[in-house]
Amino acid sequence: MWWWSLFSFVKNICGFVEDDRLSSLSDDLLHKILSYVDTKDAIKTSGLSSRWRYIWTSMPYLNFNFDPSNTSKFVHDVLSHRDKLTGLHSLNLRCCPFDSAFAETVLSYALCNHVQELTLECLRITLPDSLIISRCLKHLTLLGSMSIRLETPWELPALTTLHLEYITFCNDKRVDLFSKCVNLKDLTLEYPRTSKGFRIWHPCLSSLTIKSGSPSHFKDDDDDGSLQFSVESLDSLEKFDLCILSPPLAAARKVFGLLQHLHRVKFLTLNLEVVEVGIRLNY
């Protein structure tokens, strides 16, 4: 069994044969050790000894990876049996399929328990943006064929890192999505979908990654579906990574116009297709 192997391995490398010094470690250190494994496996360590029996209930790190046994009932049972006085530092939920109602429940639980790092990867679900409000969340990753009903900016003042991949934003009007994420430093948008587009405005943004398969993201600023970039956001960038698949001339023209505002950038990455179109435009 892997947990007994871990138990024996740590004892041996520390040179402890007769005494169980591993179990004498503080709860914080044991939690850190268990943070590297799936929560299902962390719970199994409760069978090692009486010392380990309830360690998992106060773990501030929860990992639910892709596994048939990580059903919505299992996740619900774990959340309901956690020590209610224990905060939640990070939650990684990489499971499917889940329905939207359950995903909302997990997201709400994490934010209500002051989670600082949150990764949610679920397929074919729709979430309201009204859930994404937190004064503690610092790192947010949303992955998968996920839809978000977008009406208002996200209120995440502590957020520094945001990674969105294959997210569809369902918005009836253009929204300054990140305007209330005042501490955002690192933004990654991979293949976003939006009917009305949104504006990227952040005077302190230092790293921006955009991977797009839709030429409409780089049409004129007033066009539906386009991404707007403020000069302030571009001027503060130190790293800019841009990939546009099959860019038309109009998109490349806008991109190279944006590049003229990169005054502090130290690392610039463009995909070959953008560069080739830029050469044709004599940039």
Side-chain angles (χ1 to χ4, degrees):
M1 298 181 181
W2 79 263
W3 62 90
W4 185 255
S5 299
L6 173 65
F7 185 79
S8 302
F9 174 72
V10 176
K11 286 176 63 177
N12 290 334
I13 63 174
C14 294
F16 303 136
V17 179
E18 296 181 359
D19 298 328
D20 179 9
R21 297 292 184 87
L22 178 60
S23 294
S24 67
L25 295 176
S26 67
D27 285 5
D28 288 344
L29 286 175
L30 295 180
H31 290 155
K32 192 62 178 178
I33 293 172
L34 295 177
S35 70
Y36 295 101
V37 302
D38 191 273
T39 297
K40 175 190 65 177
D41 294 326
I43 292 175
K44 291 179 179 178
T45 62
S46 61
L48 290 175
S49 67
S50 58
R51 169 72 176 97
W52 290 78
R53 185 174 181 183
Y54 298 108
I55 287 294
W56 71 270
T57 64
S58 56
M59 279 190 59
Y61 315 97
L62 296 179
N63 299 305
F64 301 102
N65 295 310
F66 287 116
D67 190 310
S69 63
N70 280 340
T71 62
S72 57
K73 182 181 184 305
F74 172 75
V75 177
H76 180 272
D77 288 344
V78 171
L79 299 182
S80 61
H81 286 88
R82 287 187 74 245
D83 184 345
K84 293 180 173 57
L85 299 179
T86 301
L88 188 59
H89 182 272
S90 66
L91 187 147
N92 298 310
L93 179 64
R94 299 175 180 271
C95 306
C96 65
F98 282 147
D99 59 37
S100 297
F102 179 73
E104 284 187 34
T105 299
V106 174
L107 182 58
S108 179
Y109 176 91
L111 297 177
C112 288
N113 282 271
H114 312 299
V115 69
Q116 296 182 41
E117 300 179 11
L118 176 62
T119 297
L120 182 62
E121 182 174 359
C122 295
L123 301 177
R124 298 180 297 279
I125 64 172
T126 301
L127 296 173
D129 69 326
S130 58
L131 274 178
I132 307 180
I133 298 175
S134 170
R135 302 193 66 82
C136 301
L137 188 61
K138 296 181 179 180
H139 307 282
L140 174 61
T141 299
L142 299 178
L143 308 169
S145 301
M146 186 185 306
S147 298
I148 297 178
R149 297 190 295 271
L150 186 61
E151 298 178 358
T152 58
W154 287 349
E155 296 187 29
L156 302 169
L159 194 72
T160 61
T161 304
L162 177 61
H163 186 151
L164 304 175
E165 186 171 343
Y166 291 105
I167 305 300
T168 298
F169 295 98
C170 305
N171 48 323
D172 296 326
K173 59 181 180 180
R174 191 184 301 274
V175 175
D176 288 350
L177 179 59
F178 315 117
S179 61
K180 295 186 179 181
C181 305
V182 294
N183 287 299
L184 186 62
K185 298 291 190 298
D186 189 337
L187 173 62
T188 298
L189 299 172
E190 296 196 28
Y191 308 107
R193 300 177 180 88
T194 171
S195 56
K196 294 296 182 179
F198 48 79
R199 188 168 182 254
I200 298 176
W201 179 86
H202 276 286
C204 298
L205 197 64
S206 60
S207 177
L208 176 61
T209 298
I210 298 178
K211 297 182 180 181
S212 172
S214 173
S216 64
H217 290 158
F218 294 90
K219 295 191 299 183
D220 293 335
D221 287 346
D222 293 333
D223 289 339
D224 288 345
S226 66
L227 304 179
Q228 292 185 2
F229 302 85
S230 70
V231 174
E232 295 89 346
S233 299
L234 297 173
D235 188 56
S236 65
L237 287 180
E238 296 182 1
K239 179 182 178 182
F240 188 32
D241 187 345
L242 179 64
C243 175
I244 307 175
L245 302 182
S246 303
L249 290 177
R253 185 177 293 110
K254 179 177 179 180
V255 167
F256 281 89
L258 294 174
L259 296 183
Q260 298 177 19
H261 298 283
L262 303 179
H263 303 302
R264 297 178 58 189
V265 70
K266 298 177 181 178
F267 305 96
L268 174 63
T269 303
L270 301 174
N271 66 309
L272 183 59
E273 290 177 279
V274 170
V275 175
E276 289 175 341
V277 175
I279 294 174
R280 291 167 56 191
L281 293 172
N282 295 319
Y283 279 103

